[in-house]
Amino acid sequence: MKTKVLMAILAAVIAGLIAVPWIASYFYVFIFTEILILGLFAASFNLIFGYTGMLSFGHAAFFGIGAYAMALILIHLEWPFLVSLLVSMGASALLALVIGFLSVRLNEVYFAMLTLAFGMMVFAIAYQWRSVTNGSDGLAGFTLGSFGLGLDLTLANPSVYYHVVLGIVAIASIVLYLICRSSFGMTLKAIRQNPERVSFAGLNVRTYRLVAFVIGGTFAGLTGGLIAPFLRVASPELLHWSMSAEPILMAILGGTGYFLGPFIGAAAFVLLETVITTYTQAWMLVLGIILAVMVIFFRKGLLGTVIDWWMEVKK
């Protein structure tokens, strides 16, 4: 019975997401596109934090590199969208491998501070290497050509691009979910709880952490490749440490102990920001207060709290 209810809710959510461009204005199409992209971004961070227990303050580096890779390819090479997206993932994976190799040997606050340092280094390079990145102005003026696979899609149409993002995010989420539910994902959970015991069992904790870090960076690069055409620009702000704070907040807000938690957190974050900015210019102060209250009183995140409440009702 429980499984049937969950499947019915999931089917209704999927149907609603598919129907968004047909029942809502372009404004909400843009909002839901942003939610989907940032939700996957937060989920990629949650693989590193929620499952492996590594708090990274530099996750935006992979997000931003994915965006810059997409923009550079579209400007100079004009490759199909899917090919450009794969290059974005590859560039972010390579960067994550380098940063992860140097960072995963450290624990807790030292790991967090080192990832922050590397993230700011990447931001500084993008900000100052004007001949490639156009500095603070970022890369803009690129156009979306063909999608690839022989499909004739008008990616410049917001509704079409929304459905493309929805499909890619859905596929990526399924892959990420299978990774989290695999024996590899279970090992990551064990490392988060007791790395010493996992090490005593004969497993190389550092290798598992590095692989998880690279996977998380790769999926972050995917979201970066999706955000550049959406924003029509790849700018240094996408690499800034403040951007790294967003997936942290979204994951905690939704619930780090649940796979769908980051998606719920991303939806809450974007919708709250959208509503508050319509009423006041001091939206960051109001949003900060609301989010602080929610984090304090919803200890397991929004999704975790709802699940606990549902279990109490069922009793």
Side-chain angles (χ1 to χ4, degrees):
M1 183 66 180
K2 179 181 176 182
T3 304
K4 291 182 178 180
V5 172
L6 291 176
M7 292 300 293
I9 294 175
L10 182 60
V13 171
I14 293 174
L17 289 173
I18 294 174
V20 165
W22 305 325
I23 62 177
S25 64
Y26 274 157
F27 174 77
Y28 289 102
V29 171
F30 288 128
I31 293 298
F32 276 91
T33 303
E34 184 180 5
I35 289 173
L36 289 171
I37 296 173
L38 293 182
L40 183 60
F41 181 39
S44 70
F45 165 80
N46 199 44
L47 177 68
I48 300 173
F49 177 61
Y51 282 83
T52 319
M54 300 184 295
L55 178 57
S56 172
F57 284 139
H59 204 59
F62 316 123
F63 182 69
I65 287 299
Y68 270 103
M70 172 64 76
L72 287 168
I73 291 172
L74 292 178
I75 290 173
H76 299 292
L77 300 176
E78 299 181 354
W79 287 354
F81 176 75
L82 276 184
V83 177
S84 304
L85 206 56
L86 290 175
V87 174
S88 295
M89 296 174 67
S92 297
L94 182 60
L95 179 64
L97 180 62
V98 175
I99 294 178
F101 179 78
L102 298 172
S103 303
V104 297
R105 63 190 65 196
L106 301 178
N107 295 317
E108 299 174 352
V109 67
Y110 303 103
F111 172 85
M113 295 307 296
L114 189 56
T115 55
L116 174 61
F118 279 121
M120 291 309 296
M121 287 172 58
V122 175
F123 167 79
I125 292 172
Y127 193 85
Q128 297 178 13
W129 198 1
R130 294 193 62 88
S131 60
V132 176
T133 64
N134 202 29
S136 59
D137 295 329
L139 296 173
F142 49 85
T143 57
L144 286 169
S146 64
F147 175 78
L149 300 179
L151 298 177
D152 185 19
L153 299 176
T154 308
L155 296 177
N157 186 321
S159 297
V160 173
Y161 192 71
Y162 168 81
H163 278 131
V164 168
V165 169
L166 177 60
I168 292 174
V169 169
I171 294 171
S173 299
I174 292 172
V175 173
L176 194 57
Y177 176 76
L178 293 176
I179 292 173
C180 294
R181 291 298 299 269
S182 67
S183 58
F184 173 77
M186 296 301 104
T187 303
L188 294 183
K189 284 187 175 182
I191 290 174
R192 181 196 64 195
Q193 296 173 359
N194 197 322
E196 290 81 10
R197 183 170 294 181
V198 173
S199 181
F200 290 154
L203 298 177
N204 192 320
V205 172
R206 187 178 297 175
T207 299
Y208 274 90
R209 283 177 169 170
L210 177 58
V211 173
F213 194 84
V214 172
I215 293 174
T218 302
F219 279 96
L222 170 62
T223 60
L226 292 173
I227 201 71
F230 173 68
L231 298 176
R232 294 294 192 271
V233 66
S235 63
E237 284 73 18
L238 299 177
L239 294 154
H240 197 261
W241 67 267
S242 58
M243 191 68 203
S244 293
E246 291 194 14
I248 298 174
L249 184 56
M250 292 173 187
I252 294 175
L253 182 60
T256 58
Y258 305 90
F259 179 78
L260 292 177
F263 292 94
I264 303 298
F269 183 88
V270 173
L271 291 175
L272 279 173
E273 180 182 354
T274 302
V275 171
I276 294 171
T277 51
T278 60
Y279 292 101
T280 176
Q281 293 182 345
W283 65 271
M284 293 186 68
L285 174 62
V286 179
L287 180 62
I289 294 173
I290 294 175
L291 292 177
V293 171
M294 293 176 71
V295 170
I296 291 172
F297 291 99
F298 295 84
R299 297 294 181 88
K300 292 185 178 181
L302 295 174
L303 183 59
T305 303
V306 170
I307 291 176
D308 285 350
W309 172 80
W310 176 256
M311 294 303 292
E312 288 294 328
V313 171
K314 294 295 289 184
K315 290 179 180 179

